[in-house]
Amino acid sequence: MGNQAYGSVLVDGFLAAIWRLEAGGAGTPATVTVQELRPFTAAERDDVTDEAVALLSVMTKATAEGGAGDVRFASFVDFGD
């Protein structure tokens, strides 16, 4: 696995989720995985999805040259110490 960098998602100024970007490879689309720290409302989920798509277009070739990108949502799991 190695080291992974996670970004934070703020909703109304409060930490609501973390995200990570997987660049993909040959035949695999770039993916942003958003791990919710609490359930999102439908409107919040739509807004986070829009931001994730914008992130993909800036940080990868996901939307350039007709490439594909994916946004996935998951619950955050804390395994403790």
Side-chain angles (χ1 to χ4, degrees):
M1 291 272 169
N3 293 331
Q4 291 189 9
Y6 288 86
S8 56
V9 177
L10 302 178
V11 175
D12 294 330
F14 295 94
L15 182 64
I18 58 175
W19 63 267
R20 74 174 183 269
L21 174 66
E22 297 172 35
T28 304
T31 303
V32 171
T33 302
V34 179
Q35 292 179 283
E36 301 174 30
L37 302 176
R38 61 152 179 89
F40 285 159
T41 66
E44 290 170 342
R45 189 179 180 104
D46 290 344
D47 289 343
V48 170
T49 300
D50 291 345
E51 290 294 328
V53 168
L55 179 79
L56 281 167
S57 69
V58 170
M59 297 187 71
T60 69
K61 295 180 182 178
T63 56
E65 303 163 8
D70 191 19
V71 178
R72 298 178 183 171
F73 285 84
S75 297
F76 180 80
V77 177
D78 183 4
F79 292 109
D81 296 337

